Every structure is written in structure tokens, then in C-alpha cells.
Amino acid sequence: MAKLFLGLDLSTQSLSAIVIDYNSRRVVYEHSINFDKALAHYRTRYGVLPDPDPLLVHSPPLMWVESLDVLFAQMKRDDVPFCDILAISGSGQQHGSVYLNSRADLALHKLNPAKSLTGNLRGVFSRATSPIWMDSSTSAECTEIRAALGGVKATSRKTGSDAFERFTGPQIRKFYKTEPEKYALTTDIALVSSFMASILAGKISPIDHGDGSGMNLMDIRKKTWHPEALKATAPRLRGKLPPLAASSKIVGNISPYFVKKYGFSADTKVLVWSGDNPCSLIGVGLIKKGMMAISLGTSDTLFGYLKRCRVDERGEGHVFVAPTGDYMTLICFKNGSLARERILKQFGLTWSDFDKQLRATRPGNNGGILLPWFAPEIVPRVARPGVHRFDLDPNDVAANCRAVVEGQMMSMRIHSAWMKTKPTHIYATGGGSVNTGLLQVMADVMNCPVRRIEVSKSAALGAALRAAHGWFLAEAEEQAWENIVAGFTSPVPNSEIRPRAAASRLYGKLVDKYARCEQAELAKA
Ligand code: XUL
């Protein structure tokens, strides 16, 4: 007998669904709705509203509402057995916020299946557009909040992260400052995640601790709203925020709207949604101390499980509550593939040439160092781009290929040292992880075995696994997280790359040189 759980993922560009059968450990259905294509009438590009100001990045929340009807209609056509789904949870792009007026609560309770979701919810917004994680227009508000909370170190200690432009608190503060009348008309502020859960459950949903950690508003240790942070952000804010809840919290049974329209069972449980990064942590299977993943994309992201709450007092890395109730970290390096591709282009190489050049050079690159800040960097914070070479000939093709990768990996090692957790394994994902030369440098620099995993849709899978976990918990049949993820998340067979002792020893010294070069350039800036 199958045990079906639905995981949804509302990302920047699409809404995706994964249905898993927990008993057979299989993904039995997957589908994605692309906003630009399927909902072209909202005129988004890559899921966001074009704006002449590059700092302003908003999306229309009504588009997200409509995408749910479009997705479920397709799933119905595909004969997904909605009536057998036991529980649903979801993953939302983190930090984005939705502003609701006094009509929202009633409209959610009374969703009318004779109308579409947009027909039901068109009038519930006090702000027509939602700032999302790509928005970086709130530098002034970050400075104000950081100052009110006592500086970078204090802000990180209190909320898990320094104040960041895309985080929800600074975004709310800007809304309050620039549109005070609309702020006053706002009765409820939701995250993308809690907004979608509210529609499914037909009532305002709590914000889960994981996504709540990305707001600069939650006390990262107590997992409650932080009174000082609320005060530093905007007046009367507490009354506009929902309660916070653990990631296993059931919001309620699914709204009758979905029962009548699509044939869900009235008993289907809706769990709180979480952010895409906490969901991906589970989707990739990082549930134990020492488990870390590095995703090699346009930007490189290091994320990992933390048993205890420990924050980065330099304010570069983020700490979020993990779905397990423990913690996770996320450190984003902007110059990932972006930097590797720039070297590739500069020397007219293909990826296979790049790999050959890496193999033709020796670990340590004879002391040659490259700081790969082709674009402004997030970690470490570098506002003005610049590529800096030390003991490195800018025309030496092979040495530059090695230097960009070694530089990136050494930077990851240096800027994740605050976690004080030596990884037992690193799981490499993302486009760049097919390059084994690159993974060897990663293993040698981090002095840790690297395994490759394929994780398309890791956030939706993580959401489905969270739904399973929460459902079993509510049935008083709690399952250990190891059981929950077993069979759904596993490395690519024979993909393990082990660190080489001599190379690791050499990097142990070279990181000090890299750190000195970095410090020297940061001091100049
Ligand atoms: C994390 C972040 C992004 C978004 C969208 O801090 O901004 O990863 O969650 O994916």
C-alpha cells in the first residue's frame, strides 16, 4: 500500500511538485510550471517584474496564487491520485514577503471552489508586488537595523545573520518608510512559504523556524520573535506577524476548496512550508554532524548541518534553524562558475581543456594565488570587483586555471572555519560538480572526501520528506530522520574522491598565504 506525500517548491522562476511514495522510496510524479511561459500575462522575466532600477526586484504574488491552480489542474489531467495524498508541505524562495489586508483572513477561510484562486484572492493584498531575495534596495535600512541592534556581531548573535538587503526585516522597514499608508493597511505579513501554506490550509499559516531565520527578526536561539529586532524594524510589527512554529507543525487539514475542486481527501494534512535552503538540506540528506554540501553553480554555495547554534560573528555566513530542529549554515560565494567561466573565456578554453589544464599543474601552483573577485563578492564582502594575482603570471594558462579553483576552495575553507565543524564528507552538487579535477582540489583543500550527488529538485523533495516526517509525528509514529531520507538521497555510485595527504598538507600552509593576500586587498579597499 502506497503512502503518498506531496512536496511543492515555489522558486523564483517556477512552481514544482514532487509526489513520493514513502513505502517504495520512489518519486512517483514530478511536474513544473514555469511562470514566464505558463503565466505570461504577468509579464515576468525569469519570474520577476522587469524594473529599470537594478536594485529593485519584485514578483507579483497573484501569479504565485494562480500557479497553484495551474499546477493542480495539470496534476489532475495527469491522474495524480490526490485522494491518496496524506500530507503536503512546501519550500519557498527565502526572504520574499507578501503583504495582506484585512480581507485576507476571511477570504482564505471561505475559498469558493466555484471561482479560481485568483478570483478568490485578488483583493487581499495591501501591496501588489512582493520584494524577493534578489532585491538589494535596502542598504540604508540594513545600516539602521544593524546600528539599532548594536553592530554586525550583535546582529548576527541575535538573529543568526548580519542585516542583509534581501532579508525580510530590512524589506519591511523600507515598505514602512516609503509607503506608510499601505503599511498601516497591512494586517498580516507572510513569507512566500507561509503565504502558500495559508492558501492550502485556508487560514493564515505560521512561519516556520527555518524560513523565520532569514528575516533578521527571529531570536536564533530562542526561536521566538526578537523584541529588539521588531522594534528596530517597524512600529506595530508584532501584530502583523503570524506565530513561529517548528518545521513539523501541521497548520490544519487542506481547505475544502482543494477537496471539491481537485479531489483531495478532506483529511489531507497541510504542514508549514519552509525556505528552499532548509528544505534542500533535507532533500540532499544532510541530517548529521559533519555533513556539508557545496553547490557549484553560477555562485558557489556551501551549506551544512550544525548540531549547535554557532553564528559567524564576522557577519558573512548565515545560520538558519534546520527542519530537524538543529541548525544549518549557508555561505554564498558570488564568484563561482561566474569566475571559472571568465578564465575559460579569457584563454578561449572548453570545460574539457580546463580540466586538462588542472591535471597538468601541481597542487599549490608553486605558491601562485588568485583572488577571484570578477564580480562584487558576498564572502568576503567586496564592493568593487577586482582580480588580484600574487606570484602568478597572468598569461600562464594552466596556472591561472588552477589558481581560480584553488582560490575559490581556499576561500571556502577560510570563511567556513567559524563553524568549527570539520566535515566528514562533502557532497558536491550543481553544474560544476561534473568536473572531477575541480572536485579533487576541493577534497585536497578541505582535507575531506568528496562525493557527488545529483539533486535536481532537492527543495521539492525535501518538502515532501518534511511532509512525511510531520505526518508520522502527528500519527504518533515518529520516524528518525535517517529513516525518512534513506533511499531518497544517495551519492552517485563510485563518485568518491579522496584527499591526497601530501596535497592537503601543502594547502594547510597555503591557506595562510591566501588569507594574508585577501586581508591585504580588503585593507586597501
Ligand atoms: C538564501 C537566498 C537564496 C534564496 C532563493 O539566503 O537568498 O538561496 O533562498 O533561492
Side-chain angles (χ1 to χ4, degrees):
M1 169 75 178
K3 269 201 164 65
L4 301 184
F5 297 96
L6 169 60
L8 298 168
D9 173 31
L10 195 136
S11 71
T12 316
Q13 302 194 39
S14 55
L15 175 67
S16 310
I18 276 190
V19 179
I20 57 166
D21 171 16
Y22 187 77
N23 282 349
S24 67
R25 308 270 142 181
R26 277 189 317 122
V27 171
V28 293
Y29 179 83
E30 282 185 58
H31 192 75
S32 247
I33 297 291
N34 177 280
F35 299 141
D36 293 2
K37 286 193 198 127
L39 296 157
H41 47 288
Y42 290 94
R43 298 176 191 279
T44 56
R45 256 182 79 78
Y46 303 107
V48 309
L49 294 164
D51 196 292
D53 180 350
L55 300 183
L56 271 186
V57 186
H58 285 217
S59 295
L62 200 62
M63 174 177 82
W64 300 331
V65 171
E66 187 165 346
S67 69
L68 204 53
D69 261 340
V70 174
L71 176 67
F72 283 172
Q74 182 59 49
M75 289 173 75
K76 196 172 174 180
R77 284 195 292 277
D78 292 342
D79 291 325
V80 172
F82 281 124
C83 59
D84 294 333
I85 290 174
L86 298 169
I88 310 176
S89 189
S91 147
Q93 44 171 308
Q94 287 200 258
H95 317 300
S97 41
V98 180
Y99 298 78
L100 303 170
N101 62 30
S102 58
R103 288 193 287 273
D105 195 38
L106 190 65
L108 285 168
H109 274 96
K110 298 213 145 142
L111 288 175
N112 175 358
K115 294 191 203 165
S116 63
L117 281 175
T118 46
N120 277 286
L121 296 174
R122 193 179 298 281
V124 306
F125 301 100
S126 57
R127 191 183 194 184
T129 62
S130 288
I132 66 154
W133 65 279
M134 293 161 82
D135 188 287
S136 46
S137 65
T138 63
S139 295
E141 289 74 20
C142 287
T143 308
E144 290 160 359
I145 292 172
R146 184 184 298 122
L149 291 181
V152 173
K153 197 197 259 188
T155 308
S156 306
R157 278 192 184 158
K158 287 172 185 167
T159 73
S161 298
D162 183 23
F164 276 87
E165 280 75 359
R166 66 190 191 286
F167 275 45
T168 325
Q171 291 290 344
I172 294 173
R173 179 161 179 78
K174 181 180 164 207
F175 181 50
Y176 151 70
K177 280 168 55 186
T178 54
E179 299 183 74
E181 321 76 38
K182 288 194 187 160
Y183 177 76
L185 289 174
T186 302
T187 51
D188 296 275
I189 299 177
L191 291 181
V192 174
S193 58
S194 69
F195 176 58
M196 297 302 287
S198 303
I199 302 174
L200 288 172
K203 59 174 162 182
I204 301 283
S205 162
I207 286 177
D208 96 300
H209 295 147
D211 218 6
S213 319
M215 299 174 81
N216 285 136
L217 289 174
M218 192 183 88
D219 182 323
I220 194 69
R221 287 168 208 275
K222 291 192 190 146
K223 304 177 185 170
T224 53
W225 294 121
H226 198 299
E228 257 185 273
L230 295 176
K231 188 157 172 257
T233 301
R236 298 176 303 284
L237 181 52
R238 178 66 195 86
K240 299 178 199 283
L241 292 171
L244 288 159
S247 152
S248 54
K249 166 95 181 163
I250 291 179
V251 188
N253 285 351
I254 195 164
S255 155
Y257 175 92
F258 299 98
V259 176
K260 298 217 177 80
K261 200 155 187 160
Y262 299 108
F264 278 93
S265 151
D267 207 29
T268 307
K269 304 291 177 240
V270 176
L271 273 90
V272 287
W273 285 35
S274 188
D276 52 355
N277 295 299
C279 287
S280 286
L281 190 83
I282 298 300
V284 172
L286 306 189
I287 50 161
K288 273 201 224 132
K289 193 166 175 213
M291 292 179 113
M292 185 187 271
I294 295 179
S295 158
L296 300 164
T298 308
S299 302
D300 289 343
T301 309
L302 180 151
F303 64 108
Y305 171 91
L306 287 176
K307 183 73 199 155
R308 294 223 171 74
C309 182
R310 183 189 289 283
V311 300
D312 179 7
E313 298 193 338
R314 284 203 284 189
E316 293 171 343
H318 308 302
V319 174
F320 302 141
V321 175
T324 55
D326 308 314
Y327 289 87
M328 68 173 288
T329 183
L330 180 100
I331 314 176
C332 187
F333 302 84
K334 185 143 192 182
N335 288 284
S337 275
L338 190 150
R340 295 185 284 274
E341 272 163 23
R342 289 287 281 274
I343 293 283
L344 215 72
K345 214 163 166 193
Q346 183 185 335
F347 295 113
L349 306 175
T350 62
W351 280 115
S352 129
D353 299 332
F354 186 84
D355 200 39
K356 276 186 209 129
Q357 303 287 358
L358 268 186
R359 289 174 193 283
T361 44
R362 299 236 313 249
N365 223 5
N366 299 316
I369 297 258
L370 183 146
L371 305 183
W373 303 329
F374 289 88
E377 183 51 75
I378 302 174
V379 177
R381 286 189 197 196
V382 179
R384 208 158 354 115
V387 177
H388 308 279
R389 290 178 173 83
F390 301 83
D391 303 322
L392 179 68
D393 175 356
N395 299 315
D396 183 335
V397 182
N400 276 270
C401 289
R402 174 161 284 279
V404 70
V405 174
E406 286 188 346
Q408 290 173 324
M409 297 304 142
M410 285 194 281
S411 178
M412 282 191 195
R413 176 166 156 168
I414 292 165
H415 294 282
S416 60
W418 62 269
M419 291 167 60
K420 297 208 170 33
T421 309
K422 184 168 163 22
T424 50
H425 286 99
I426 294 175
Y427 297 85
T429 76
S433 65
V434 293
N435 188 316
T436 47
L438 199 158
L439 298 194
Q440 183 67 60
V441 178
M442 185 187 282
D444 291 343
V445 173
M446 302 298 270
N447 193 12
C448 169
V450 173
R451 296 172 178 171
R452 196 157 74 77
I453 39 172
E454 272 160 15
V455 285
S456 69
K457 310 250 172 74
S458 64
L461 174 61
L465 295 171
R466 284 183 43 246
H469 177 262
W471 183 85
F472 281 112
L473 196 64
E475 295 285 304
E477 285 179 48
E478 184 172 2
Q479 304 276 314
W481 280 102
E482 283 90 331
N483 287 350
I484 296 282
V485 302
F488 286 107
T489 58
S490 47
V492 174
N494 306 320
S495 69
E496 180 159 306
I497 295 182
R498 301 201 60 81
R500 298 167 299 182
S504 289
R505 268 197 305 279
L506 197 147
Y507 287 122
K509 297 207 182 85
L510 199 62
V511 282
D512 294 335
K513 177 172 177 185
Y514 186 92
R516 283 197 303 276
C517 296
E518 192 184 271
Q519 279 310 317
E521 283 310 319
L522 292 176
K524 276 192 220 162

